[in-house]
Amino acid sequence: LPVYSLWAWLALIQLQGVMDHTGYELPLDIFAMLPGFGGTKFHDEHHQYFTGNYAAALSIIDDVMGTRLKPADSPIRSRK
């Protein structure tokens, strides 16, 4: 792969990290449109509970490893 591919990936992953740390579901979040990205809620639950949702970018990693917080496990999603 060309070195530009690495720089493009690093730029995109940094942007995704910034978007996740805003704490808001932004309407123009391009990563929310892509399958496999957890999004802001996914990342916020990781910071609040530290018991799951460890994947930085691809939330499918948490599915494979069994560390994804499910709605029953997550007070954020079950709170009314």
Side-chain angles (χ1 to χ4, degrees):
L1 289 172
V3 72
Y4 296 115
S5 300
L6 173 63
W7 285 111
W9 171 253
L10 290 174
L12 285 173
I13 207 69
Q14 286 299 317
L15 177 62
Q16 188 259 340
V18 169
M19 300 286 276
D20 280 352
H21 283 95
T22 62
Y24 296 101
E25 293 284 341
L26 300 173
L28 296 176
D29 184 359
I30 60 170
F31 298 100
M33 299 175 205
L34 299 173
F37 284 84
T40 301
K41 276 187 193 174
F42 178 87
H43 197 75
D44 285 349
E45 289 172 352
H46 162 71
H47 281 288
Q48 187 167 3
Y49 301 106
F50 300 103
T51 58
N53 296 356
Y54 299 114
L58 300 173
S59 58
I60 194 167
I61 295 170
D62 283 306
D63 293 331
V64 170
M65 301 306 279
T67 55
R68 179 188 279 264
L69 292 175
K70 295 170 182 58
D73 302 335
S74 171
I76 288 178
R77 291 195 179 139
S78 62
R79 193 182 312 152
K80 302 216 178 196

